[in-house]
Amino acid sequence: MNLYEIKDHCRSNFNVYLKKAIEQIPPIQDVNFLDIGCGTGVSILEIAKITNYNLTAIDTDEDSLKILENKIQRSNYSERISVMRGAIETVNLPEKNYDIILAEGLFNIIGFENGLLISSGFLADNGYMIIHDELKDRAFKLQIFKKNQFKLIASYVLDEKVWWEKYYGCIEKQMEVILRQKLRNTDFEKALVQAKNEIKTYKENPLACQSIYYVVQKLSK
């Protein structure tokens, strides 16, 4: 098991929270769903598993998309998932086409309001966004929703204990298994250093790892 497989395994522990977000959205017929910043596809494949949505996944990282495409080929969902490489700021997507847009961890990279406004152009009137973001500046972000005519449907916090139990602690345990089994090579040694640094960063400031899911609806003008 390499580092991306370990991270995907641990990242899948958050799927329960993604499912909870989906459950906040009223039933919609023939849903077009867009995942921006999809990475290796842990979330988009979970959505494919629990819904019958038509799915589009985009990311800028070619290696991550190759991993996702290999996963899709081995799945039963290949006819429902389209994969595109590109940045949300420049990718060629139809306007107001998507009933639900998922953004996990992207807006803290490109800017919260900037990401919301760009994504809004692809979102159908009265469509929904699921945003998984860092917890800080929560009051400010609620004002951004209001300012840009988004209605907050639900939100819930993943505190530092959840992040340890579901992710960082999971990575640590998986690495320990590989060490005990002595399945080590040069790539693993590099991955081990990276994982140790991530875990160290968490332990030095656990509160910085708190995050929040927002489910919001775009109000038609």
Side-chain angles (χ1 to χ4, degrees):
M1 183 180 286
N2 58 36
L3 184 59
Y4 100 77
E5 290 173 326
I6 290 172
K7 285 188 170 183
D8 276 5
H9 168 75
C10 297
R11 179 67 182 79
S12 68
N13 290 331
F14 289 119
N15 283 343
V16 62
Y17 303 106
L18 178 58
K19 183 179 179 182
K20 179 179 177 180
I22 291 292
E23 290 171 348
Q24 309 305 311
I25 297 173
I28 305 171
Q29 295 294 320
D30 300 320
V31 171
N32 289 325
F33 183 100
L34 175 65
D35 182 355
I36 52 177
C38 63
T40 56
V42 173
S43 293
I44 201 74
L45 288 168
E46 177 66 13
I47 296 297
K49 178 181 176 182
I50 65 175
T51 74
N52 61 355
Y53 297 168
N54 302 307
L55 305 165
T56 301
I58 68 170
D59 202 285
T60 58
D61 187 75
E62 184 175 4
D63 291 337
S64 293
L65 292 181
K66 286 180 179 178
I67 292 168
L68 172 55
E69 287 169 345
N70 287 333
K71 291 181 184 178
I72 292 171
Q73 289 174 5
R74 300 194 303 268
S75 76
N76 298 320
Y77 315 121
S78 57
E79 294 183 359
R80 289 198 286 125
I81 306 177
S82 300
V83 177
M84 298 176 63
R85 185 184 178 195
I88 190 64
E89 299 94 331
T90 57
V91 71
N92 184 21
L93 292 170
E95 294 184 2
K96 295 189 175 184
N97 183 64
Y98 299 95
D99 304 289
I100 304 172
I101 295 178
L102 172 67
E104 294 189 287
L106 179 65
F107 288 1
N108 62 315
I109 297 172
I110 66 174
F112 192 87
E113 187 166 17
N114 180 53
L116 184 72
L117 290 174
I118 293 171
S119 304
S120 179
F122 305 119
L123 188 63
D125 287 341
N126 299 310
Y128 295 85
M129 288 196 68
I130 299 170
I131 302 166
H132 188 191
D133 193 62
E134 56 191 352
L135 182 59
K136 70 178 184 179
D137 300 324
R138 183 178 183 181
F140 174 68
K141 291 167 184 175
L142 293 176
Q143 288 300 314
I144 288 175
F145 289 138
K146 186 175 181 179
K147 170 186 170 184
N148 293 286
Q149 296 188 301
F150 278 84
K151 177 183 178 182
L152 180 66
I153 303 300
S155 65
Y156 44 97
V157 172
L158 278 58
D159 65 19
E160 70 279 8
K161 294 179 181 178
V162 169
W163 272 93
W164 177 255
E165 292 169 0
K166 301 293 187 182
Y167 189 68
Y168 291 107
C170 173
I171 290 175
E172 187 173 68
K173 288 177 182 178
Q174 291 297 317
M175 288 300 207
E176 288 172 354
V177 168
I178 294 175
L179 286 169
R180 286 198 300 270
Q181 294 175 346
K182 299 181 180 180
L183 301 174
R184 303 175 68 160
N185 53 45
T186 302
D187 288 339
F188 175 74
E189 295 298 337
K190 292 179 181 178
L192 181 63
V193 171
Q194 181 182 341
K196 283 184 175 179
N197 286 337
E198 291 182 11
I199 292 167
K200 179 183 177 183
T201 299
Y202 168 88
K203 289 182 176 179
E204 287 175 345
N205 188 9
L207 294 179
C209 293
Q210 293 177 322
S211 64
I212 185 169
Y213 271 92
Y214 299 105
V215 182
V216 296
Q217 183 180 23
K218 176 184 176 182
L219 303 178
S220 59
K221 297 180 181 180

